[in-house]
């Protein structure tokens, strides 16, 4: 988180301050454990500033169709695993084939009490 925070707090080549957005995405895939967020529309249109840190990268997230399960509560792995299981059960009942690794989206700052937190787990749906 602190690497991303420094990037949006002017630790980039143009020393541009960028507004923090939600959700913050957490994923664990072939590239490893990653945290990411969506740049504000104007920043994306103008071209995102180049990070000073080689440990921060810019990527375009492709659009697509996702199955999403929204849940409240803790950010603990057990809560995410339970949400993912519910999502997978719902998708199977709907005849959807999930493709790829799940992503977790957190919509609230860490100081929000867990019972008020809005979270999502999402997985891309395989095209027919």
């Amino acid at each position: 988180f602190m690497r991303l925070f420094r990037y949006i707090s002017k630790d980039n080549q143009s020393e541009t301050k960028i507004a923090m957005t939600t959700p913050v995405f957490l994923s664990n895939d072939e590239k490893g454990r990653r945290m990411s967020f969506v740049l504000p529309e104007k920043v994306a249109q103008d071209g995102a500033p180049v990070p000073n840190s080689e440990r921060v990268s810019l990527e375009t997230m492709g659009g697509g169709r996702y199955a999403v399960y929204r849940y409240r509560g803790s950010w603990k792995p057990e809560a995410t695993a339970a949400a993912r299981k519910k999502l997978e059960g719902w998708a199977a009942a709907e005849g959807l084939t999930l493709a790829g690794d799940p992503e977790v989206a957190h919509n609230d700052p860490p100081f929000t009490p867990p019972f008020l937190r809005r979270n999502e787990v999402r997985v891309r749906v395989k095209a027919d």
Side-chain angles (χ1 to χ4, degrees), residues 79-127:
T80 301
R84 180 180 179 181
K85 188 171 184 170
K86 288 180 182 180
L87 174 64
E88 290 170 345
W90 175 84
E94 294 294 316
L96 300 173
T97 303
L98 302 179
D101 297 308
E103 290 183 314
V104 178
H106 300 297
N107 295 289
D108 300 294
F111 53 79
T112 302
F115 67 92
L116 294 175
R117 291 181 185 161
R118 298 166 296 136
N119 310 300
E120 297 172 349
V121 62
R122 73 180 195 164
V123 180
R124 188 178 293 272
V125 174
K126 189 172 184 179

Side-chain angles (χ1 to χ4, degrees), residues 24-36 61 65-69 71 77 79-88 98-106 120-125:
V24 172
F25 293 101
L26 298 175
S27 60
N28 196 5
D29 57 22
E30 69 278 353
K31 295 179 182 179
R33 185 175 156 101
R34 299 185 306 149
M35 177 181 283
S36 56
M61 294 175 75
R65 187 173 175 210
Y66 289 84
V68 179
Y69 179 77
Y71 63 102
T80 301
R84 180 180 179 181
K85 188 171 184 170
K86 288 180 182 180
L87 174 64
E88 290 170 345
L98 302 179
D101 297 308
E103 290 183 314
V104 178
H106 300 297
E120 297 172 349
V121 62
R122 73 180 195 164
V123 180
R124 188 178 293 272
V125 174

